[in-house]
Amino acid sequence: MRESSKVVIYTSPLCGFCYKAKSLLMKKNINFLEINVDIDLKKKKEMILKSGGKTSVPQIFYENRHIGGCDDLIKIDKKDGLENIFEQDV
């Protein structure tokens, strides 16, 4: 998605949870920047550092605040609605 997005998702190509999280974001018309940690090991280290040591994907951030993984994203959507929480990029 867009490079300037406030939502960043660290992913791996064959990850079903990554696909599910991206699909939810797309369904809600929320722009995001996807970073494939399999291609860039520096980005994987960055993800681990930013997430407080989490090594699994996806790891999702909103305005540099760690949201968590796919299950966390789904919980937020069910509780408050992602479209109400994640400000849309202009």
Side-chain angles (χ1 to χ4, degrees), residues 8 39 61 63 74 79 88:
V8 176
I39 293 174
F61 296 83
E63 294 186 334
I74 292 168
K79 182 179 178 205
Q88 295 297 305

Side-chain angles (χ1 to χ4, degrees), residues 13-64:
L14 299 177
C15 169
F17 291 107
C18 298
Y19 176 80
K20 189 172 181 179
K22 292 186 298 182
S23 294
L24 178 58
L25 291 169
M26 287 187 273
K27 179 181 173 186
K28 300 287 184 168
N29 292 315
I30 296 170
N31 294 321
F32 60 91
L33 171 62
E34 180 178 6
I35 299 173
N36 182 337
V37 298
D38 285 350
I39 293 174
D40 189 342
L41 294 178
K42 288 181 184 179
K43 291 295 183 180
K44 184 169 187 170
K45 289 179 184 177
E46 174 185 282
M47 175 196 80
I48 294 168
L49 182 65
K50 285 175 65 175
S51 67
K54 306 254 190 226
T55 58
S56 61
V57 288
Q59 291 300 320
I60 304 159
F61 296 83
Y62 175 65
E63 294 186 334
N64 291 316

